[in-house]
Amino acid sequence: YICPKAMAKLGRWIKDKPFHVASRFVLELVQMVLEMTANRQSEAPAAKVGILIFLAMAIRAHPECLLPHAHIIRTNPRFHAPERINTILWIFCQSSISSSAAGVGLWSRALLPLMSSETTSQKTVSGSLRFLEYALAPRGEEARIALEKRAACIGGSEALVPVAALQTVLMLAYQSETGGAIRLRKLYPRLRQLALAAGGRSGATAQTFLKSTLELAETTEVASEMHSQLGQNVLWCLGSDPENIIPMWRNLYLERLNCMAPFMRWLHKHWDHPDLEGL
């Protein structure tokens, strides 16, 4: 039997805790739940249900509480082993229920790196895509504004979708014709919008993004569909910080001129930035 009054008190208790305290506490609960699900005889059924309910309450009260621990979840196999991935996805869904931004952030930090690993199981890849589709699903105007506002708050490596993660998405989405790649391709425009949201982006972001975009165009067998995405990214960089990016563009362009002919032909064909004439 789970006492509703006790659960309500616990809910108020965790909601009033500072973020850093709640974050550490939730991580300990997650570890407990993973051990509990691995050992089905460890707790009585009612106790298991109570712990799961309290974990869900705690995460929904502090939806971004797992973001500081995403690297642990990503690198420690005890968290993302194939037999535990469904539990992790359920836990992540509790964050996304309260905040789409938390869900997207967890995906880009913890699940996307797993999807790009050759050793990751198809079960994990498929589950990660389903979670991203859920996190990005429309939930009304208020939720959309909250997601975009959060995406614009911080740039660099702490961004909701760092530009490095966006490049990984681009490679996974356009370098094959698997079902998963096609699904990710449909989600890429929204992820790009969040990664390049105005507000938290600096000139350093544009410089990093331009360099990695040209490296990707140079070193990858780029599908024709990918030229459009790479070209749009180059144009975004040039337009976002012209004073610093244009000199950088000239140097990088000349260094790669001989090996980037297909990409450069696309860029020339679609050039429609009158403010950047003369490049």
Side-chain angles (χ1 to χ4, degrees), residues 1-4 6-7 10 32-33 36 39-55 57:
Y1 172 73
I2 301 173
C3 178
M7 294 304 295
L10 285 172
M32 181 186 303
V33 166
M36 184 178 69
N39 181 9
R40 298 185 178 182
Q41 304 301 321
S42 60
E43 301 285 349
K48 290 183 179 180
V49 172
I51 293 172
L52 289 172
I53 291 175
F54 184 50
L55 175 59
M57 292 169 62

Side-chain angles (χ1 to χ4, degrees), residues 155-224:
S157 60
E158 296 302 315
L160 197 63
V161 182
V163 293
L166 188 67
Q167 299 292 53
T168 301
V169 173
L170 194 57
M171 288 188 290
L172 292 176
Y174 287 93
Q175 287 186 326
S176 74
E177 293 297 325
T178 63
I182 293 171
R183 289 166 65 188
L184 193 56
R185 206 172 297 172
K186 294 178 180 178
L187 300 171
Y188 174 80
R190 182 57 168 153
L191 291 171
R192 182 181 184 275
Q193 182 184 29
L194 296 175
L196 303 181
R201 307 300 168 266
S202 63
T205 297
Q207 292 173 37
T208 300
F209 196 30
L210 177 65
K211 185 175 181 180
S212 63
T213 297
L214 294 182
E215 287 175 349
L216 183 58
E218 176 187 21
T219 61
T220 307
E221 283 190 23
V222 180
S224 58

